[in-house]
Amino acid sequence: MLSSIRLRCSASYGLRSYHLTNMRAFDELRKLEIFFMEETRRGCSVIELYELVQHAGNILPRLYLLCTAGSVYIKTKEAPAKEILKDLVEMCRGIQHPLRGLFLRSYLAQISRDKLPDIGSEYEGDADTVTDAVEFVLLNFTEMNKLWVRMQHQGPARDKERREKERGELRDLVGKNLHVLSQLEGVDLDMYRDTVLPRVLEQIVNCRDEIAQYYLIDCIIQVFPDEYHLQTLDVLLGACPQLQPSVDIMTVLSRLMERLSNYAALNAEVLPYFLQVEAFSKLNNAIGKVIEAQEDMPILSAVTLYSSLLKFTLHVHPDRLDYADQVLGSCVKQLSGKGKINDTRATREIVSLLSAPLEKYNDVVIALKLTNYPLVVEYLDNETKRIMATVIIRSIMKNNTLITTAEKVEALLELIKGLINDLDEPQGLEVDEDDFEEEQNSVARLVHMLYNDDTEEMFKIISILKKHFLTGGPKRLKFTIPPLVVSTLKLIRRLPVEGDNPFGKEASVTATKIFQFLNQIIEALPNVPSPDLAFRLYLQCAEAANKCDEEPIAYEFFTQAYILYEEEISDSKAQVTALQLIIGTLQRMHVFGVENRDTLTHKATGYSAKLLKKPDQCRAVYACSHLFWLEDHETIQDGDRVLLCLKRALKIANSAQQMGSNGQGSAGSVTLFIEILNKYLYFYEKGIPQITVESVESLIQLIKNEESMPSDPYAESLFASTLQFMEFQKQKGGAIGDRYEEIKV
Amino acid sequence: MNFLLGAFKPACNISITFTDGKNRKQVPIKKDNGQILMNPLFQSQETIAGKIHIDSYQGKKVEHNGVKVELLGQIEMYFDRGNFYDFTSLVRELDVPGEIYERKTYPFEFSSVEMPYETYNGVNVRLRYVLKVTVTRGYAGSIVEYQDFVVRNYVPPPPINNSIKMEVGIEDCLHIEFEYNKSKYHLKDVILGKIYFLLVRIKIKNMDLEIRRRESTGAGANTHVETETLAKFELMDGAPVRGESIPVRVFLTPYDLTPTHTNINNKFSVKYYLNLVLVDEEDRRYFKQQEITLYRLKEETS
């Protein structure tokens, strides 16, 4: 049996599919082991067996047999496990062929795995038993790694790539040793720090092989507990700059930091340890050194490292903003002199770097405290700056962060400059229209997050915004001005009413000042083709001024609005809407003196009459009637003018009807009549003496006549509901009911 | 008729038994015809005693001029086959001339025989010990019977047993240092050692340790040297890098070795060598040979 296996072993090693054959051989060897075991039970001396297998002349089968016999030897406990293991690991040196050696040693690792003289193991030896176990694994590991590294030099250079690939596939064989080490019960922190780590690192550093170094460092990080890493951070990190320059140290360190931060995140109670071992400064130093050591490290790697470090410090030391700032500072230092970053992946990494604090604190205010933050942003290209700005804004929105001081606002605006200003965009790079709108909308939304209860501070904020927005280029004003105005108007409303100042202090922020300010802002708008917007804003302001009893200002705003109406608004539909707005706003104005008001109303009615389409004219005119009758204001109750307006509206409706009958039916005009009737009823109800019962009745009569003609269902239903309303008011009784009572239909 | 019969068959049958024949250790000896026979084992200074039985056939009378037993130590050279050189010759007369009618038993004893050399079966030379019983007859020819026995001599462990340590190499190509733990090994010994690679510029395929036997016969101009490789033991597979050390552990038990013999009776010498062979990828061999002394150590269990 022995010899047959010996034969099979030696035969199979020549085959190319080494891996497979090995699996088979391992299987056979397992059977052999069982056979050996039985032999010893039958009384065959295991020592003799151990010697006997060494008579084999060919080394490879001999060593496989030796390992197998050794395994049995240990099991019989006739000799201390450590002696046998030591012997085995030493004898295995005979195989210097990398591939065969690797497999042999991996077989050794496999059979010895459950037989290490670990603490608590049944093979536990004397006092230093763990040291023996560790020593064994380390030795085997070292040798395996050497073989593994050597593999690359086997064979012709042109096959190098293929060989490297094969090597990559074999790495687990080497890594398994580290895994075994980590599983040893006896490897405690002290053991790890004093023996295991230094030895493994020494091997890693000395092997000067890129693949091995990368894989093994990563192995260490993944295999051993976080706690160990934390306590041996300086040792581990100290090794990093010594690695080959081509080693992807960035990934390795990132993973380490990731692990540590996860560890910190999951176990809050270990945080003090992080402080104790100064994890942050160590990592920071290490990264600095690594970057220094690897001169041609791509910017991507550096940035990724800093990004990981930042994430780490955010997780572990959320309270130490200075750390985060330090990281950003180092990053800036690294980026400086490299100009803008062109590598897209690096850019992406920077974005993630910059987003990290936002995500962590959910509060952009904290990010604003990081002095280096904007400096990093500087290195982004315009496109990315915009993206970054969007990210920041989104974060603010999501968390409803209020930014309350002018200083912070200033900083924030500096950060999101990409959205606020036209940057020196390279030609031919068109920003997508939709995206642009989206971005600007978000800026607009942002404006509302800038808020302070203190009016003075708020004013400062607004001033800053204005400063930035006005320089932001015409395309943006459309989006940025309205929120700014609205925000300002809100401020005005909150201003203490004059004379209401309990401290008698002269408020530095007066309504007048703000209105001037508003005027300036809005003036910017007509320059860009959005008069519409400016027009509305003027009206808004006018209304606000009205509330503040600032007649001249309100008047000024109105004038501006009128000018815009006249000069810029030419589309008839827009005119109609605009006019409605004017009428609506004007109606509510109570601040104006008679003269001013007259001028304005007169103008408004004038505009109404000048509308292009008759129905529009009609509607505008009857709307104007409201301008002359304000219920609460005795001074503005001019029944004559109301009646005049309504009559003119009727006239226009009439002429519209005539034009209509020439043309395509008069359905529209009936609706106009009914609408005018409604106005009549309104004013009648208000008790304007000029609106008589007769005029109402005659109008109803008129409509009824018109009704006889074919008409549209809309008009009919409108009329019906009007009549219904009258009926309803009648039944309500009281003063109004009485008045309706008088109308005879 | 009887006379004729006697011409074709020995007139009597001679057998030799040793006193402690049943308990004495037997060792295999390869005969010329390839047959392996078990022979009793003696060592120098032992008393060789036993009985010789002579049976005449069918009660026939055998006349003789005397019976004697000789203890011979012989060296036989193969190029001079059949010609024995006796280096030891002891004679005991067993009987005066007379007749043998029936079974006759003669006890004999050679006490404390000096047998300085060991039995040896080499390529070109053989050293053997034999008991020769002769029934001398005048005209009919003497009746002779031989009984081989084996002699092995045990020596105590040598007082001085230095290790073999040597640095060898080819300039700028290969430098190794090897070390064997002893220079003198007993036959059941283990060779332990280490080979250090100080410089490796050639692509080594493997490394073997050979045990070689060098048998030289004759003297002067007629010296004939025969070298055999008795063992080939692979020490290393693959190419080592500099700084590597390879362990050596070779058990001697499985090999058919004898002690080193130096100038046995001016006839022959047997020497052993350890030959370290490195084979490179082009199958070139690099080797270094080192003599070792083998000796026979008394085995505790025998």
Side-chain angles (χ1 to χ4, degrees):
Chain A
M1 169 132 182
L2 244 176
S3 61
S4 82
I5 285 174
R6 215 174 289 180
L7 262 177
R8 208 172 308 177
C9 287
S10 46
S12 45
Y13 298 126
L15 295 181
R16 277 205 63 186
S17 50
Y18 201 82
H19 220 110
L20 258 171
T21 350
N22 248 289
M23 291 301 122
R24 252 177 41 213
F26 281 12
D27 262 6
E28 294 293 337
L29 286 166
R30 205 169 302 127
K31 283 183 208 152
L32 179 68
E33 193 182 339
I34 294 165
F35 170 76
F36 280 171
M37 208 62 216
E38 280 167 7
E39 277 300 284
T40 55
R41 244 178 252 132
R42 251 180 257 138
C44 173
S45 152
V46 71
I47 302 165
E48 269 172 34
L49 185 71
Y50 192 69
E51 191 195 311
L52 196 67
V53 292
Q54 297 187 60
H55 292 176
N58 287 330
I59 185 158
L60 194 59
R62 176 170 77 236
L63 291 180
Y64 270 103
L65 289 172
L66 187 67
C67 290
T68 315
S71 157
V72 177
Y73 200 173
I74 297 174
K75 271 195 205 157
T76 61
K77 296 185 194 158
E78 283 183 35
K82 72 163 185 178
E83 300 292 338
I84 300 162
L85 290 175
K86 209 171 146 193
D87 188 51
L88 289 177
V89 79
E90 179 64 21
M91 290 314 283
C92 282
R93 278 177 192 276
I95 305 291
Q96 292 291 327
H97 184 278
L99 186 63
R100 295 198 276 272
L102 263 182
F103 275 94
L104 172 68
R105 286 186 179 272
S106 111
Y107 175 67
L108 174 62
Q110 184 190 310
I111 56 137
S112 63
R113 211 171 166 167
D114 50 350
K115 301 181 186 71
L116 297 172
D118 189 15
I119 285 179
S121 145
E122 54 174 314
Y123 305 103
E124 185 178 339
D126 47 15
D128 286 334
T129 180
V130 187
T131 321
D132 297 327
V134 167
E135 201 62 27
F136 165 75
V137 181
L138 277 176
L139 207 54
N140 202 30
F141 161 74
T142 311
E143 290 301 319
M144 276 178 94
N145 189 44
K146 280 191 203 160
L147 291 170
W148 186 45
V149 171
R150 215 188 292 162
M151 254 185 92
Q152 60 189 311
H153 306 303
Q154 300 277 318
R158 66 192 138 82
D159 284 347
K160 186 152 172 107
E161 204 173 311
R162 185 181 55 84
R163 279 204 309 275
E164 295 291 78
K165 204 169 139 258
E166 280 177 3
R167 275 190 63 204
E169 288 162 8
L170 290 173
R171 61 182 194 179
D172 286 352
L173 296 181
V174 185
K176 214 156 66 178
N177 284 300
L178 293 179
H179 187 241
V180 171
L181 274 179
S182 74
Q183 304 272 296
L184 282 177
E185 204 61 39
V187 176
D188 52 7
L189 181 57
D190 286 336
M191 174 68 91
Y192 176 74
R193 185 178 45 214
D194 299 339
T195 313
V196 177
L197 186 64
R199 291 273 303 273
V200 174
L201 280 181
E202 189 195 351
Q203 174 57 30
I204 293 174
V205 169
N206 288 344
C207 77
R208 292 170 186 284
D209 175 64
E210 180 192 345
I211 300 180
Q213 290 185 335
Y214 171 67
Y215 171 70
L216 292 175
I217 285 271
D218 198 34
C219 246
I220 294 183
I221 293 171
Q222 303 300 331
V223 153
F224 291 103
D226 302 311
E227 190 200 338
Y228 290 8
H229 293 318
L230 190 55
Q231 297 294 341
T232 56
L233 208 51
D234 36 355
V235 185
L236 189 60
L237 294 175
C240 289
Q242 300 174 49
L243 300 182
Q244 295 302 98
S246 49
V247 172
D248 185 7
I249 195 74
M250 143 201 123
T251 319
V252 172
L253 282 179
S254 320
R255 288 206 193 139
L256 174 64
M257 288 185 270
E258 198 179 303
R259 266 198 77 143
L260 287 179
S261 37
N262 284 345
Y263 176 54
L266 291 176
N267 310 288
E269 73 273 16
V270 301
L271 282 179
Y273 290 113
F274 277 91
L275 287 174
Q276 196 190 319
V277 301
E278 294 173 319
F280 170 76
S281 54
K282 280 175 188 167
L283 282 169
N284 196 14
N285 279 342
I287 289 175
K289 279 200 195 112
V290 164
I291 290 175
E292 220 172 90
Q294 307 198 353
E295 274 177 5
D296 46 354
M297 185 191 236
I299 198 75
L300 167 67
S301 312
V303 173
T304 316
L305 278 179
Y306 282 119
S307 171
S308 312
L309 180 60
L310 185 63
K311 277 178 197 148
F312 167 78
T313 162
L314 290 176
H315 268 103
V316 179
H317 307 293
D319 49 336
R320 298 295 300 264
L321 258 185
D322 53 330
Y323 283 173
D325 203 29
Q326 221 173 311
V327 177
L328 290 171
S330 316
C331 191
V332 168
K333 219 162 72 196
Q334 194 53 37
L335 291 170
S336 63
K338 300 254 164 93
K340 300 250 176 198
I341 299 158
N342 295 321
D343 181 359
T344 49
R345 278 171 60 209
T347 330
R348 213 176 304 140
E349 207 43 62
I350 294 191
V351 170
S352 109
L353 168 85
L354 292 173
S355 316
L358 298 179
E359 279 161 22
K360 174 64 189 174
Y361 294 114
N362 282 334
D363 186 355
V364 78
V365 178
I366 293 190
L368 294 178
K369 281 191 200 144
L370 302 168
T371 50
N372 284 312
Y373 200 90
L375 295 179
V376 178
V377 175
E378 266 314 297
Y379 288 99
L380 296 169
D381 61 24
N382 295 336
E383 171 77 22
T384 328
K385 268 187 197 161
R386 270 206 301 279
I387 294 172
M388 198 54 232
T390 325
V391 169
I392 295 173
I393 294 175
R394 210 174 292 143
S395 147
I396 298 176
M397 288 302 152
K398 206 175 84 199
N399 304 301
N400 277 326
T401 322
L402 287 182
I403 292 137
T404 50
T405 68
E407 231 170 286
K408 284 178 193 159
V409 170
E410 180 79 54
L412 176 67
L413 290 177
E414 195 60 36
L415 268 187
I416 59 169
K417 221 159 55 179
L419 289 185
I420 293 171
N421 285 343
D422 275 330
L423 300 157
D424 27 335
E425 200 79 49
Q427 288 300 312
L429 215 149
E430 277 298 308
V431 184
D432 185 56
E433 213 41 53
D434 287 346
D435 286 353
F436 180 76
E437 237 170 76
E438 182 83 9
E439 283 164 13
Q440 295 306 320
N441 279 336
S442 64
V443 175
R445 262 180 271 150
L446 174 69
V447 172
H448 296 291
M449 302 309 295
L450 314 175
Y451 178 83
N452 194 319
D453 276 332
D454 179 38
T455 46
E456 274 182 52
E457 192 66 35
M458 187 64 198
F459 186 65
K460 272 194 214 154
I461 293 177
I462 289 173
S463 308
I464 291 165
L465 282 173
K466 175 193 146 200
K467 192 178 81 200
H468 282 271
F469 285 165
L470 288 187
T471 54
K475 271 197 312 193
R476 287 179 176 74
L477 287 177
K478 195 161 67 172
F479 297 96
T480 50
I481 293 296
L484 182 57
V485 171
V486 171
S487 177
T488 317
L489 290 176
K490 268 195 215 152
L491 171 64
I492 292 175
R493 289 208 192 99
R494 283 191 306 161
L495 276 182
V497 180
E498 255 163 291
D500 199 21
N501 196 333
F503 306 105
K505 199 171 68 180
E506 195 62 37
S508 60
V509 185
T510 60
T512 330
K513 206 163 150 195
I514 299 175
F515 279 121
Q516 274 169 4
F517 171 82
L518 275 173
N519 203 6
Q520 285 166 3
I521 307 175
I522 305 172
E523 256 174 11
L525 268 180
N527 299 336
V528 297
S530 44
D532 221 23
L533 201 56
F535 171 77
R536 281 159 198 260
L537 292 175
Y538 276 131
L539 288 181
Q540 286 273 345
C541 293
E543 205 180 338
N546 173 45
K547 288 235 173 67
C548 298
D549 284 327
E550 298 276 358
E551 185 181 350
I553 295 170
Y555 187 76
E556 174 64 20
F557 280 127
F558 249 98
T559 323
Q560 296 287 351
Y562 277 13
I563 293 171
L564 276 180
Y565 177 81
E566 283 173 13
E567 289 176 357
E568 306 281 351
I569 302 176
S570 47
D571 178 55
S572 63
K573 260 200 195 123
Q575 279 181 341
V576 172
T577 338
L579 202 50
Q580 275 167 359
L581 280 171
I582 291 181
I583 294 167
T585 316
L586 193 53
Q587 199 257 348
R588 284 196 291 279
M589 298 299 242
H590 53 76
V591 67
F592 292 129
V594 182
E595 201 175 318
N596 280 342
R597 194 174 168 87
D598 264 1
T599 325
L600 293 175
T601 41
H602 188 74
K603 262 299 193 207
T605 26
Y607 292 147
S608 317
K610 274 185 214 139
L611 286 174
L612 186 63
K613 285 196 249 166
K614 290 283 178 193
D616 289 342
Q617 269 181 25
C618 173
R619 286 194 177 103
V621 170
Y622 71 62
C624 280
S625 62
H626 285 287
L627 293 177
F628 304 107
W629 189 275
L630 263 70
E631 220 170 325
D632 313 333
H633 295 268
E634 296 288 320
T635 46
I636 318 171
Q637 291 190 344
D638 190 345
D640 288 332
R641 304 274 293 269
V642 173
L643 187 62
L644 206 66
C645 278
L646 292 179
K647 280 204 168 130
R648 192 187 294 163
L650 269 177
K651 219 162 89 194
I652 299 168
N654 235 334
S655 65
Q657 186 189 21
Q658 272 156 22
M659 276 167 66
S661 53
N662 297 340
Q664 61 282 75
S666 58
S669 56
V670 179
T671 322
L672 285 178
F673 283 129
I674 299 166
E675 281 168 11
I676 296 168
L677 171 63
N678 275 309
K679 290 288 163 203
Y680 265 94
L681 286 173
Y682 172 80
F683 289 111
Y684 179 72
E685 198 180 302
K686 295 281 177 252
I688 298 176
Q690 282 82 352
I691 309 296
T692 55
V693 182
E694 294 77 41
S695 58
V696 176
E697 281 174 350
S698 66
L699 189 52
I700 295 172
Q701 200 51 50
L702 175 74
I703 295 166
K704 280 187 173 163
N705 290 342
E706 295 293 332
E707 277 277 283
S708 56
M709 286 195 237
S711 106
D712 65 331
Y714 172 69
E716 262 174 60
S717 68
L718 187 62
F719 187 55
S721 56
T722 311
L723 290 178
Q724 219 176 333
F725 171 74
M726 289 166 66
E727 199 60 31
F728 175 73
Q729 291 293 62
K730 251 186 233 174
Q731 285 179 7
K732 236 163 64 173
I736 296 170
D738 290 346
R739 280 190 74 84
Y740 277 96
E741 209 51 63
E742 288 168 36
I743 302 171
K744 312 232 164 13
V745 185
Chain B
M1 194 61 196
N2 279 339
F3 170 75
L4 274 176
L5 201 80
F8 287 99
K9 249 180 123 181
C12 59
N13 183 29
I14 304 168
S15 68
I16 304 161
T17 56
F18 294 96
T19 315
D20 47 359
K22 287 199 178 107
N23 304 323
R24 187 161 284 278
K25 193 179 171 183
Q26 306 269 318
V27 290
I29 283 289
K30 210 172 170 190
K31 299 295 274 185
D32 293 343
N33 54 11
Q35 223 180 333
I36 291 172
L37 282 177
M38 298 304 281
N39 285 315
L41 177 66
F42 290 89
Q43 55 179 308
S44 189
Q45 305 296 340
E46 260 193 293
T47 296
I48 297 169
K51 284 182 174 133
I52 295 165
H53 310 276
I54 301 178
D55 291 304
S56 60
Y57 287 107
Q58 297 133 7
K60 201 179 156 243
K61 178 182 75 177
V62 178
E63 270 181 53
H64 62 86
N65 295 336
V67 178
K68 62 176 180 182
V69 59
E70 291 167 284
L71 189 155
L72 298 173
Q74 299 178 316
I75 294 172
E76 180 188 14
M77 303 295 206
Y78 288 173
F79 54 81
D80 189 15
R81 196 174 284 264
N83 196 3
F84 299 107
Y85 170 79
D86 293 352
F87 56 88
T88 294
S89 177
L90 297 170
V91 186
R92 294 282 182 277
E93 296 290 343
L94 295 176
D95 206 353
V96 292
E99 291 171 343
I100 298 170
Y101 304 97
E102 53 191 351
R103 182 187 173 96
K104 250 192 139 171
T105 300
Y106 306 98
F108 69 94
E109 185 184 272
F110 299 94
S111 49
S112 307
V113 190
E114 182 76 27
M115 294 179 287
Y117 310 130
E118 281 202 357
T119 304
Y120 174 76
N121 247 320
V123 182
N124 286 325
V125 65
R126 186 164 73 154
L127 188 151
R128 69 163 189 166
Y129 287 93
V130 72
L131 281 174
K132 182 181 177 190
V133 179
T134 316
V135 179
T136 321
R137 288 199 293 182
Y139 50 93
S142 301
I143 303 164
V144 180
E145 179 65 28
Y146 295 97
Q147 170 64 52
D148 278 85
F149 64 94
V150 177
V151 171
R152 286 181 180 171
N153 287 325
Y154 304 98
V155 297
I160 301 168
N161 199 348
N162 293 325
S163 63
I164 300 175
K165 208 168 181 178
M166 190 169 247
E167 198 182 318
V168 290
I170 309 162
E171 198 167 342
D172 293 333
C173 193
L174 178 71
H175 275 277
I176 61 171
E177 187 184 303
F178 60 81
E179 183 180 351
Y180 307 126
N181 60 338
K182 301 176 195 170
S183 51
K184 295 166 184 161
Y185 294 92
H186 63 81
L187 298 181
K188 299 279 160 75
D189 217 343
V190 190
I191 302 172
L192 296 176
K194 248 191 162 75
I195 289 141
Y196 303 94
F197 285 84
L198 305 176
L199 177 79
V200 190
R201 292 249 173 87
I202 50 173
K203 288 185 172 171
I204 296 172
K205 200 163 69 177
N206 60 346
M207 175 167 73
D208 295 332
L209 188 68
E210 293 174 343
I211 302 174
R212 288 156 77 83
R213 171 154 70 196
R214 189 160 165 276
E215 182 187 290
S216 59
T217 47
N222 294 328
T223 309
H224 193 82
V225 177
E226 191 73 43
T227 309
E228 304 171 74
T229 300
L230 298 179
K232 191 173 165 192
F233 192 81
E234 195 179 9
L235 288 180
M236 185 185 74
D237 168 37
V241 292
R242 93 186 241 187
E244 203 67 63
S245 69
I246 307 298
V248 178
R249 183 190 292 160
V250 185
F251 290 88
L252 296 179
T253 335
Y255 308 112
D256 186 20
L257 304 172
T258 70
T260 299
H261 298 302
T262 320
N263 201 15
I264 298 297
N265 219 259
N266 277 327
K267 291 286 179 203
F268 73 99
S269 294
V270 179
K271 287 183 174 175
Y272 285 90
Y273 295 89
L274 288 181
N275 193 22
L276 187 69
V277 184
L278 289 139
V279 183
D280 75 3
E281 282 184 343
E282 273 108 54
D283 280 328
R284 282 189 292 253
R285 290 160 61 87
Y286 308 81
F287 57 88
K288 178 70 189 172
Q289 196 158 283
Q290 280 291 310
E291 188 183 349
I292 52 167
T293 308
L294 292 182
Y295 64 94
R296 195 182 296 281
L297 188 70
K298 179 79 182 159
E299 292 162 58
E300 283 101 45
T301 55
S302 61

